[in-house]
């Protein structure tokens, strides 16, 4: 490969530099093949702690561990050439102290080769974000509906309506000032997404935060139509993978029962033909 066609991975500062310029395209991924697909068109691949619900059938993200994040992030790294890989810090891995956050964030960076970590929280987490950034760890913040706080919120509810918008604006300003390179804003009114995007200096990446954010992120299994019983308002299905998978399994079962699979083309002869 000549030096001119070596693929350069995007960095946190490249993503930071896209503010107000090119929309930032992000998806989650948890495995090598899905990372390969996402990497063909995404700027940022998030190894989200949504992995617990999406791939492991957990009822929330709270049961996700550091070991799970390390394993999935390594798999994603094997399938990614260009996109920035951001890995979620799971519940309980950063809230206790900035030192605890550094220990776990540095493990994610060293063991997986990711380019940044993401953690949930605004004003309360700003000192931790500053601590990590000063020590060489790029941080993406996450405000609005932060799923690790589902028990405090009493469900996956829209945040920031009415006067509550001031709280989220304060969160956005705090993570910007703390040195985060971007911020995910989840499930807030579109008008608030617009306001925060206009106000802060770092890119906003929305999920259910309207079209005015600097970028968008979706959970890949949601947008590919892997689930039929789960479709939040902010998800658009771009494929029907579940339906196609069910069709394929039904056809396979029918052919096995009818003994039409395997056919001669899938079967080995006793001798190799010359
Ligand atoms: O875990 C995740 O997938 C996320 C996205 C929903 C932003 O945090």
């Amino acid at each position: 490969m000549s030096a001119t066609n070596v693929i350069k991975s995007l960095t946190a500062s490249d993503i930071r530099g896209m503010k107000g310029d090119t929309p930032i395209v992000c998806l989650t991924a948890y495995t090598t093949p899905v990372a390969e697909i996402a990497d063909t068109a995404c700027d940022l691949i998030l190894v989200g702690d949504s992995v617990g619900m999406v791939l492991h059938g957990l009822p929330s993200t709270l049961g996700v561990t550091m070991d799970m994040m390390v394993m999935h992030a390594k798999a994603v790294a094997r399938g990614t050439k260009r996109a920035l890989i951001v890995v979620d810090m799971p519940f309980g891995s950063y809230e206790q102290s900035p030192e605890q956050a550094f220990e776990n964030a540095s493990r994610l960076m060293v063991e997986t080769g990711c380019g940044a970590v993401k953690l949930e929280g605004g004003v309360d987490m700003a000192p931790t974000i500053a601590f990590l950034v000063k020590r060489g760890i790029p941080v993406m913040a996450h405000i609005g509906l932060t799923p690790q706080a589902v028990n405090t919120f009493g469900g996956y509810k829209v945040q920031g309506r009415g006067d509550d918008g001031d709280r989220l604006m304060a969160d956005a300003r705090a993570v910007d000032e703390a040195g985060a390179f971007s911020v995910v804003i989840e499930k807030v009114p579109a008008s608030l997404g617009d306001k925060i995007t206009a106000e802060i200096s770092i890119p906003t990446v929305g999920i259910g935060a309207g079209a005015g954010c600097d970028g968008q992120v979706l959970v890949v299994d949601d947008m590919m139509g892997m689930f039929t019983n789960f479709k939040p308002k902010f998800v658009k299905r771009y494929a029907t993978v579940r339906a196609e998978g069910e069709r394929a399994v039904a056809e396979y079962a029918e052919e096995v029962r009818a003994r039409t699979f395997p056919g001669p083309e899938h079967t080995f002869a006793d001798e190799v033909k010359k």
Side-chain angles (χ1 to χ4, degrees), residues 28 30 46 48-50 88 118 142 184 186 207 217 219:
T28 66
Y30 321 105
L46 173 66
D49 60 355
S50 50
D88 254 343
K118 174 164 85 59
H142 184 158
V184 169
E186 181 164 350
I207 174 163
V217 61
V219 169

Side-chain angles (χ1 to χ4, degrees), residues 27-30 46-52 54 61 69 88 118 120 140-142 145-148 184-186 205-207 217-220 222 234:
L27 279 177
T28 66
Y30 321 105
L46 173 66
V47 188
D49 60 355
S50 50
V51 67
V54 173
T61 57
M69 295 312 298
D88 254 343
K118 174 164 85 59
E120 296 183 5
M140 183 177 211
H142 184 158
L145 173 65
T146 46
Q148 293 173 10
V184 169
I185 308 179
E186 181 164 350
V205 176
I207 174 163
V217 61
L218 283 177
V219 169
V220 72
D222 292 344
F234 58 76

Side-chain angles (χ1 to χ4, degrees), residues 8 10 34 43 47 50 98 124 160 179 193 217 228 235 237 255 265:
K8 184 195 165 292
L10 294 175
V34 174
D43 304 306
V47 188
S50 50
D124 292 346
V217 61
T228 46
V235 170
R237 283 194 188 133
E255 291 190 2
E265 69 276 33

Side-chain angles (χ1 to χ4, degrees), residues 113-176:
C114 68
V117 300
K118 174 164 85 59
L119 55 80
E120 296 183 5
V123 170
D124 292 346
M125 279 299 139
T128 298
I129 293 172
F131 189 90
L132 295 181
V133 173
K134 278 191 200 124
R135 284 156 184 79
I137 298 182
V139 179
M140 183 177 211
H142 184 158
I143 63 169
L145 173 65
T146 46
Q148 293 173 10
V150 61
N151 292 317
T152 315
F153 291 139
Y156 296 96
K157 296 175 184 162
V158 175
Q159 302 293 305
R161 283 197 166 126
D163 289 348
D164 192 36
D166 294 343
R167 175 180 64 88
L168 293 191
M169 183 59 86
D171 281 341
R173 285 199 192 103
V175 299
D176 183 5

Side-chain angles (χ1 to χ4, degrees), residues 36-53:
E36 284 169 356
I37 296 170
D39 196 43
T40 59
C42 290
D43 304 306
L44 187 154
I45 296 178
L46 173 66
V47 188
D49 60 355
S50 50
V51 67
M53 300 170 81

